[in-house]
Structures are given as C-alpha cells and as structure tokens.
Amino acid sequence: MQPSHPVTRDLVLIGGGHSHALVLRKWGMAPLPGVRVTLISPQPTAPYTGMLPGHVAGHYSRQALDIDLMRLARFAGARVVLQPAIGLDRDARRVIVPERAPIAYDALSINVGISATLPTLAGFSDYAVPAKPLGQFADRWAQFVADVESGKMLPKIAIIGAGVAGAELALSMHHRLRAHKPQITILEAQDALKSTGARARAAIKKHLDRAGIVIQEGAQVQQITADSVLTSTGAVHSNFTVGAAGATPQDWIAQTDLPLTDGFINVGPHLNSPADPTIFAGGDCAHMLHAPREKAGVFAVRQAPYLYDNLRATLSGGRLRSYKPQADYLKLISLGTKQAVVDWHGLAPTGALAWRWKDHIDTTFMRKFDDLPPMNTPAQPPKLAAQGVAELIAAQPMCGGCGAKVGAATLRNQISALPAPHRSDVAEGAGDDAALLHHGTGFQTFTTDHFRAFIDDPWLLTRIAALHALGDVWAMGGQPQAALSQIILPRMAETVQADTLREIMDAATMTLREAGADLVGGHTSLGAEMTVGFSITGLVDHPIRLSGAQAGDALILTKPLGTGTILAADMQAQAPGHAVAAALASMSHSSAQAAAILAPVAHAMTDVTGFGLAGHLFGILDLCNLSADISDIPLLRGAQELAAAGHRSSLFPQNTMRIAEVTGPAGPIKDLLFDPQTSGGMLAAVPADRASDILRALQDAGYPARQIGTLSNGPSQIRLQ
C-alpha cells in the first residue's frame, strides 16, 4: 500500500499484544498523514489471552484464538517485520532486528508481553512449557493432546503456580482429556488462589476437588525431569509440566538502558518512559510507576486508546492524555466446562450464565479484528473517455511483484519483432531467461528485472527483488557476477529517505554477496510509488537453454505455487496472516543452492515467475515439441482456499490465454498453474533416472521440492492429472 501523503515520521510498534492490536485498528480508522507505521513481531498472529482456557478445553479452535496481525497491519497501512526485536540504539533511534538493517523510529511503543518461564529452575527449559507466550503453549498443548489420544502418552500433568491462570488451565485440561482420566497436580509454594476473593476462591476449589485435581500448597519445586517434578514434599509424576507462576520480561529489554522495575519498563501516566518521552510501553511488559498493578490483559486493553492518542500527539505536536487504571476489575474465571465464576467485590456468582457472559465479552473483542471495514474503491469521474476507461477503473487494483508484468502474449509479439543481434559477441538475445554474450571460452549472462512494491517493507522487498532477478542467471547455470540497482522512492522527508535507502542497500548488498555477486552501482529517483529492480551479469561455461528438454525427462519444481493469489488477496486485506507469512518466506528463500544442485544434470531449466508454472512450462514445450503430464503440484499454505474463493492476480486473465491447451479438472489447482509467481522456484527437466537422487539433495538443502511430472513427445500440451 503506497502512502497517500509524503512520509516524514516513523512510528514503530514492537510486539503484537492486545494494546498494539487495538492501536492498529484505530490507526486504520483514522491514520495520521505523513507517518509510516512499522509493526515488529516474530509471528503473523497473536493469541488472545482471554480465550486460552476455552481453547485448551476444546471450546474454541486455534484460529478463533488468534488475532491476525498481518491482515490488521494491512488495514492500518503498516508494514510488518516478521522478526523479534533484540535491542535498541537509543542514540540513533533505531530498533535492532536480527539479520537485517536496524529500523529507525521517531516514536516507539513496546507491547511484547511476558513469559512464564522459570529460568533458574533446573530442567525447566528442557522439560517444561511456559503458559506464556500463549502461541508456543497452544502448539505444545495440541501435540500433547494428540499424543494422549493416540496412546503415546499418559495424561499426567503438573502445573507450577496455583493462581487464577494455573487453576483455569488445570480445569480446562481436565475437561479436554476427561475421557482419558487425567491426573493433574497444581504445585504452589505459598497459598493457592490468593489474588481472588474468598467466595470465588471457594467456588474454584470446589470445582478442582470435583475434577480430582490436587493442589499441593507449600511445595517448593526443585527440579524438573522428563517424567516428573521434584519438590520439597516429594516427586510428582508428569508427562506435561506447565509453568504458570511468575512473570518474566524479555531479556533484551534489560539491555536498553531504559529505567526498569524487576525487568519491566517503567512508564508514567502518559505511558511513556521517564527517561525518553518518545518511547512508550503497554500491557504486561510495562510497569506503571504512578499506579502499579498486577499483570492482567484488562489493563492492556484499556491502555490502548490512551496509547493511540499519545503516539499521535508525540508525532504531531499535540497534548498527551493521562491514563489512570481502575483500582479493581471484574474477573470472569473459566471452570473448564462451559461454566465460569465471577469475582467482583466479594461476590462470586457461578454457572453457565457467567460463562455465556465471558464468551460474549471475548468473542465481541475478537470480532473487532475480524469485522474490518472493506478497502475503498476509487470513485469514477462523471465524464470518461471511450474504450474501456470505466472497466479499467472498476477492475481490481493492479498487483505488485510479478503480478504487475505485461502479459505474455503482448510481450511475445513485441519481442518477435526485434531485429536479430548484429554483434557477433551476442550469442542469445531476448527470448530465454537471460541474454548470452560470448566471454573468452565461455559466456556472460545479462538480465534485468524490477517490480512495483507489494509490501511496505523496503528491506524485504529488496531482498525478494534481488533473488527474483538472480533467478534468471541461476536458471541458465550461471554464477552471478555484478549488479546495478534501479530504485524509485515515493516522496518522503530526507531523513526518512536516507533510512529507507539504508535498508534497501543493506538488503541488496547482503543478498547479492550471498550469491557471490557485488552491487556496483545503479540509479535512484523519486516517483509515485516504490519500485525496486536489478540488472545482473553472470558467468557460465555451459548455458542451460530452454530448448534442451528431452522426452522422458522428469519435471522438478523447487518451490510451491500461490504467491500471486495470496498477494492479490492481501491487497484486499483478505489473506490470512499465516498465508502471507508463508508466501514471504518462500519468496525470500534463495534458489542458489537449488540451481547448483540442478545445473549439472538439467537438460532445461527456468525460474517460475510472472507467467506462472503453465506459461514457463509452455516456454520449454514449444521449443522442444514436447507435452507434459503433471500432478502433485505443491501449493503454499492458504493458496488453494484463496483461489477457490475467487482471488486472482491482475495478471491472471492474460496468463490464461492458453488455458485450452491445459487439460484436466477445472478448479483452484488448475487455476494456480497460471498464477504469477514472484521469486518462484526453479523448474527443471532432468533425466528420469536421476530424479530421486536430485529430489533428495534438494530436500536435504531445505527446499520443498517435488517431481511434478514427466515429458513426452507430442505437440505442446499440459495434461493435469
């Protein structure tokens, strides 16, 4: 999404906790023009605390538990960096992120939550799982349930910590595994449920007793092993040990030189640091100096509107608001079954009505992130030129990446009209993956590629663009040599421009050097939107041409399909975050090793890009008078579902001009053969007797490669099985 106003300030949000999720939603409703927003989060989703007990009990799916940060960020016009923050450079005002350039900020907010780890407890890191972070816990719990239900594991569980969280988890686990008669023990060094009122405590203990859940008070945990917890009162057998006691801040926060209390970031009534008013914090990772409170999600939710207003005020010169948390708050505590207990001013009504109340509050909160307003479509002027202007305006927005290419037929017609090369050192002009020039006893490859932005992260966009351009060199069996960049930046303040170029140059240099090439120059200009591209040379002794395929060859594809469909859905904020994350991971995965494995044996090879698998396969079939039988096509997570729902890249209609030459059942898989790929995988025709060894080598190198078909004599045709 290109900004509608020149960017002059950078707002960075570290973490996808409840406060930041609500800030992003409000920002999408009312953004501050001129501000670029960046969300730094290691995961594309964030679990909601309130629904975790219900999920553990089996009442909610994992999907219902998660806030989709990628979709939310798209709605807010924010870029997402799927990495953890590991430090701050406060002097330079930059966030340190592993394996990429630091990210600049003018205002910063931290909402990274806490962990329930017990780092000094022997055996905890090896044999226990903390209840927080919630996503990690939910994954481990799902695996344990599967192991119990399959008979691989006995349902013996120990929970360290008899607070509300420990009791809720114990009751929820018992309900989920009730058919297997679980043995659950809660271990507490002090008094159980001491943060609850007397009546609520009695009600919870009553349900724990009914479930046969044992609470051992005064039990000092000394060590955790693979099948037990050793305490001061004896050993407790456990195949699944959970840490639900204490709150541990993330380690990197201690290295920031910000004032802390017990490792948590000190903030005042404006929710910013007393040492740096441009740095804010919310949720569990913050310690409110003016009103200390226990760690509870209710405070993160209620901090959000103040955090939103104060971040805007910091970036625009406005007045900050003071947040004063309530002294007490309503607790709705799950009892495993669809019952709950209300803890409020000494009262403790219990039962199904309390559960329905809790369920209503939780599901209403989550609907805030599901029911986002649709993306606006441009209004049509009252008077239009003839010949399809109205249709072009009404069409879906033009995609970025390879989805923004000119169609194959249009391009082929123009290339065919080019005169033959008149220089003797040009061995191959336009038509193959890269041009070939005679160079000593071998050849030099030469290629160029660029595309308009499809994500707002200039670092990741640049890496993908570089890998995409390098693919043409690798496809011909070449070794990349040198590169020139072509960069267009939208209008922005000089400081923002410098920071953006710093990220672009960092990504380009790193990616090209990984490939054995150097960035030796380029051209940078300002324009309507961000565009990144590269012209690359390479050296090759024996070029792999498209015309080399033979009947009987096996077809190998090194990456799954679906980037065009996923990116098109993402432009409309309709793609699930896990699907977008999978697509970005695939696009940013270098094909260098894949090409090195395939090149010595491939009869023909190409990189699958804008014309889709079918278009690039036809490029081989047409030159060799061959046909192909294909099946078992690898797809990116979410691609088939999005294609079935009708999501298409804007290049898709032009790619399907030869769909009549592809036989097989209609449906999303067939459609995805024509999906334009950005930084797609290598498609190689290899001798059939070498295919299994090549596949094994590719998979050992980390590629999800598959043999997708075979070639045979006959006119150009693709038969999808």
Side-chain angles (χ1 to χ4, degrees):
M1 179 186 298
Q2 296 299 329
S4 56
H5 297 81
V7 174
T8 63
R9 310 297 299 278
D10 270 305
L11 167 61
V12 176
L13 307 177
I14 301 178
H18 302 350
S19 295
H20 281 175
L22 289 167
V23 166
L24 285 169
R25 187 180 188 277
K26 287 178 69 66
W27 199 278
M29 298 286 193
L32 181 61
V35 175
R36 176 172 59 183
V37 182
T38 301
L39 172 66
I40 300 174
S41 170
Q43 300 297 329
T45 59
Y48 169 50
T49 308
M51 295 175 75
L52 180 65
H55 168 68
V56 171
H59 305 318
Y60 303 121
S61 68
R62 176 60 193 274
Q63 184 177 357
L65 182 71
D66 285 339
I67 299 170
D68 192 327
L69 296 175
M70 300 291 285
R71 182 168 176 259
L72 186 59
R74 171 65 76 174
F75 170 72
R79 66 167 168 168
V80 180
V81 174
L82 291 173
Q83 291 279 3
I86 59 172
L88 297 181
D89 181 344
R90 288 177 52 203
D91 292 332
R93 294 197 176 280
R94 291 175 183 172
V95 181
I96 310 303
V97 180
E99 300 178 358
R100 59 172 291 156
I103 297 169
Y105 67 86
D106 295 291
L108 174 70
S109 182
I110 305 172
N111 182 210
V112 293
I114 56 175
S115 173
T117 57
L118 298 170
T120 61
L121 179 58
F124 187 94
S125 60
D126 294 324
Y127 302 114
V129 55
K132 291 185 178 183
L134 302 185
Q136 174 187 328
F137 172 78
D139 292 341
R140 293 280 294 273
W141 170 246
Q143 183 59 57
F144 181 72
V145 170
D147 289 343
V148 170
E149 291 180 340
S150 66
K152 294 180 181 178
M153 194 77 70
L154 292 175
K156 295 183 179 182
I157 300 169
I159 299 173
I160 303 172
V164 169
E168 282 190 307
L169 287 175
L171 288 164
S172 299
M173 290 173 171
H174 181 272
H175 181 74
R176 179 67 179 84
L177 296 175
R178 62 194 180 280
H180 303 276
K181 299 180 179 179
Q183 299 176 25
I184 303 176
T185 304
I186 306 177
L187 303 169
E188 174 58 55
Q190 300 176 20
D191 298 328
L193 296 164
K194 61 182 179 180
S195 66
T196 58
R199 291 183 179 179
R201 188 181 311 123
I204 296 168
K205 285 187 174 181
K206 180 179 177 181
H207 281 77
L208 290 168
D209 290 340
R210 284 180 181 173
I213 297 170
V214 176
I215 300 179
Q216 290 189 12
E217 294 180 314
Q220 294 283 350
V221 178
Q222 298 170 338
Q223 184 179 355
I224 300 172
T225 68
D227 58 3
S228 65
V229 179
L230 306 181
T231 78
S232 57
T233 58
V236 175
H237 293 292
S238 174
N239 294 319
F240 189 74
T241 301
V242 179
T248 303
Q250 293 191 16
D251 292 340
W252 67 271
I253 291 175
Q255 309 304 318
T256 61
D257 293 329
L258 291 169
L260 309 174
T261 295
D262 298 328
F264 300 101
I265 301 169
N266 289 343
V267 296
H270 297 149
L271 301 179
N272 55 359
S273 171
D276 189 335
T278 66
I279 296 179
F280 294 75
D284 288 349
C285 71
H287 174 74
M288 294 183 288
L289 291 169
H290 63 296
R293 293 292 187 273
E294 64 178 310
K295 304 302 181 185
V298 64
F299 298 117
V301 170
R302 294 183 181 179
Q303 287 167 348
Y306 296 87
L307 192 59
Y308 167 80
D309 288 344
N310 290 345
L311 288 168
R312 287 176 61 95
T314 299
L315 291 163
S316 61
R319 185 174 180 179
L320 277 64
R321 296 173 61 200
S322 294
Y323 168 68
K324 183 178 180 180
Q326 67 273 35
D328 194 10
Y329 63 95
L330 175 75
K331 296 185 181 75
L332 288 165
I333 302 166
S334 174
L335 297 173
T337 58
K338 289 189 176 182
Q339 296 186 70
V341 58
V342 180
D343 185 11
W344 177 244
H345 290 298
L347 302 177
T350 303
L353 183 60
W355 163 262
R356 288 197 293 271
W357 186 12
K358 175 176 170 55
D359 175 67
H360 172 74
I361 292 172
D362 290 337
T363 54
T364 299
F365 178 79
M366 291 301 285
R367 276 198 297 272
K368 291 176 182 286
F369 309 108
D370 293 331
D371 300 336
L372 299 174
M375 307 292 283
N376 294 327
T377 55
Q380 292 192 17
K383 287 288 185 181
L384 297 170
Q387 302 299 323
V389 174
E391 289 77 8
L392 287 171
I393 291 176
Q396 74 174 83
M398 184 172 63
C399 291
C402 247
K405 290 182 71 170
V406 173
T410 301
L411 191 59
R412 191 182 303 113
N413 290 338
Q414 298 307 311
I415 289 176
S416 65
L418 288 174
H422 73 280
R423 290 179 60 96
S424 60
D425 55 355
V426 178
E428 182 96 47
D432 214 309
D433 284 289
L436 283 175
L437 309 176
H438 290 290
H439 181 79
T441 59
F443 298 88
Q444 185 176 50
T445 61
F446 184 51
T447 186
T448 189
D449 219 320
H450 75 276
F451 43 63
R452 61 191 296 266
F454 53 87
I455 52 173
D456 293 325
D457 181 356
W459 191 96
L460 186 57
L461 178 72
T462 301
R463 175 168 175 80
I464 294 171
L467 291 174
H468 184 88
L470 287 162
D472 288 338
V473 177
W474 288 325
M476 300 198 78
Q479 294 296 317
Q481 182 184 23
L484 297 172
S485 63
Q486 301 101 43
I487 310 296
I488 299 176
L489 297 180
R491 289 184 64 194
M492 51 183 62
E494 287 188 19
T495 55
V496 180
Q497 189 179 99
D499 283 322
T500 302
L501 282 173
R502 174 178 53 81
E503 292 192 43
I504 288 172
M505 292 299 104
D506 179 83
T509 300
M510 186 188 82
T511 304
L512 290 165
R513 287 193 172 181
E514 282 178 3
D518 282 311
L519 181 65
V520 295
H523 181 76
T524 305
S525 62
L526 298 179
E529 60 182 5
M530 183 173 291
T531 302
V532 178
F534 295 91
S535 296
I536 299 180
T537 63
L539 299 176
V540 56
D541 292 330
H542 304 289
I544 304 171
R545 291 182 167 88
L546 297 177
S547 57
Q550 302 174 16
D553 279 350
L555 289 171
I556 288 179
L557 181 64
T558 64
K559 287 187 182 182
L561 306 179
T563 62
T565 293
I566 292 170
L567 293 178
D570 182 46
M571 286 181 63
Q572 303 299 316
Q574 295 298 312
H578 60 72
V580 180
L584 293 175
S586 180
M587 289 186 283
S588 58
H589 187 187
S590 171
S591 289
Q593 280 187 279
I597 292 167
L598 290 164
V601 293
H603 291 150
M605 186 160 65
T606 186
D607 58 332
V608 180
T609 53
F611 304 141
L613 175 64
H616 288 278
L617 182 52
F618 274 126
I620 294 174
L621 302 181
D622 291 345
L623 290 171
C624 304
N625 196 30
L626 296 172
S627 62
D629 293 280
I630 63 173
S631 62
D632 194 28
I633 307 297
L635 303 176
L636 284 165
R637 182 180 182 183
Q640 185 170 346
E641 293 79 5
L642 289 171
H647 292 285
R648 301 285 185 274
S649 167
S650 52
L651 185 58
F652 177 84
Q654 295 180 69
N655 279 358
T656 58
M657 293 185 69
R658 297 184 69 175
I659 195 169
E661 299 170 68
V662 180
T663 63
I669 295 178
K670 185 174 183 179
D671 290 343
L672 285 164
L673 299 181
F674 301 93
D675 186 51
Q677 304 303 289
T678 300
S679 186
M682 292 290 158
L683 174 67
V686 304
D689 60 353
R690 302 289 303 276
S692 60
D693 290 339
I694 293 169
L695 272 178
R696 190 177 304 111
L698 287 167
Q699 291 165 0
D700 288 345
Y703 296 94
R706 289 189 196 172
Q707 179 177 338
I708 64 166
T710 57
L711 300 178
S712 59
N713 288 314
S716 295
Q717 185 181 46
I718 299 173
R719 293 179 288 271
L720 175 64
Q721 305 300 315

